[in-house]
Amino acid sequence: MQFLFFLVANWILVPYNIFSCKGERWCVRNRVKHFKESYVFGEDDAERLSGIVRNFFGKGKYPAFTIYDEQEGHYVTKLHPMLKLLIIFESTAIALIAITGVVLYNIAWAPLGLPISEWILSAAWYVASLFNVDALGLIRLVHLFAAYWFVFELIVHVGILEFDPDVWKYHKAIFWSGKEDLSDRHFVRVIEEKDQKGLLTDQKGVMEEH
């Protein structure tokens, strides 16, 4: 049941949220950009991760990985860099479980006359032939491996949150208020306004990590 929730959230709700624009110019482009900044590991995340590693060895402050723009009313980024990396593996595992699960559920599944299972089997036969193994056996192996990886990754994903001594704020945001507590400035920076040059500034008017 939990896997079904992740499948719907990652592969249905996210694309729907991106492309469900009505009469707003550049809406899709802005939402794709916002999604990329919020969830896709990029150059800024690499710099933050490097800062986190340096902080572990006592060099420099722990960089803020949650950055909220009050003027725009949305996050610039809100996830720990390691979580962004885990999302890639998590989403890949979900996709593999769903695709291979179709064949394991019904080897002749063809909704609306579309031979979905046959297509998946054909692709599996092509890969399996390279290793001289049975396609259906390969599908079972991939399905099992992806399922175990998903469970392991989910434990690590949740475990990272549990390392925070003030972890209750995350549970409250997820299950109760829907809003994150931005008062803890150890990991959070709030951008309150833009200066005349259009540069993002915080309370002190400089781009500094709190």
Side-chain angles (χ1 to χ4, degrees):
M1 193 65 184
Q2 190 177 48
F3 165 73
L4 182 60
F5 170 79
F6 275 90
L7 182 64
V8 171
N10 285 273
W11 295 100
I12 297 178
L13 295 182
V14 170
Y16 174 79
N17 183 55
I18 291 176
F19 295 104
S20 60
C21 298
K22 293 184 179 179
E24 298 179 31
R25 190 179 183 184
W26 312 119
C27 177
V28 172
R29 187 181 70 175
N30 290 336
R31 288 191 181 183
V32 170
K33 179 182 178 183
H34 176 57
F35 175 82
K36 181 180 178 182
E37 291 175 343
S38 299
Y39 298 102
V40 178
F41 188 88
E43 184 178 345
D44 292 338
D45 296 295
E47 292 180 4
R48 277 188 282 270
L49 186 58
S50 176
I52 290 171
V53 173
R54 290 197 302 270
N55 174 264
F56 180 80
F57 291 102
K59 298 181 180 180
K61 294 183 178 180
Y62 199 102
F65 54 81
T66 296
I67 303 176
Y68 183 77
D69 189 334
E70 284 191 340
Q71 186 174 10
E72 297 293 335
H74 65 71
Y75 289 90
V76 175
T77 181
K78 62 178 178 179
L79 295 180
H80 191 285
M82 282 302 299
L83 284 182
K84 288 188 176 183
L85 287 175
L86 289 175
I87 284 176
I88 299 174
F89 300 110
E90 175 186 292
S91 300
T92 302
I94 290 173
L96 290 174
I97 293 170
I99 293 171
T100 55
V102 168
V103 177
L104 297 178
Y105 170 73
N106 187 347
I107 199 170
W109 193 56
L112 303 176
L114 298 175
I116 304 297
S117 289
E118 185 179 335
W119 292 341
I120 297 173
L121 270 173
S122 297
W125 274 114
Y126 177 79
V127 177
S129 64
L130 300 177
F131 301 96
N132 197 27
V133 296
D134 179 69
L136 195 56
L138 178 63
I139 286 177
R140 290 194 183 100
L141 179 63
V142 171
H143 186 84
L144 185 63
F145 175 80
Y148 277 122
W149 171 255
F150 175 76
V151 173
F152 169 75
E153 191 275 343
L154 184 62
I155 293 172
V156 174
H157 190 138
V158 175
I160 290 177
L161 294 180
E162 296 300 326
F163 281 134
D164 192 324
D166 193 22
V167 71
W168 168 244
K169 64 183 178 183
Y170 299 117
H171 297 309
K172 181 180 178 182
I174 294 171
F175 298 107
W176 180 253
S177 66
K179 297 180 180 179
E180 183 178 353
D181 181 8
L182 301 176
S183 61
D184 183 359
R185 296 306 173 89
H186 288 93
F187 313 115
V188 178
R189 179 160 60 86
V190 177
I191 301 170
E192 295 192 342
E193 61 182 6
K194 294 183 179 180
D195 63 18
Q196 294 180 351
K197 296 181 180 180
L199 298 176
L200 298 178
T201 60
D202 59 10
Q203 287 182 335
K204 296 181 180 180
V206 294
M207 290 285 290
E208 70 176 30
E209 303 288 353
H210 294 280

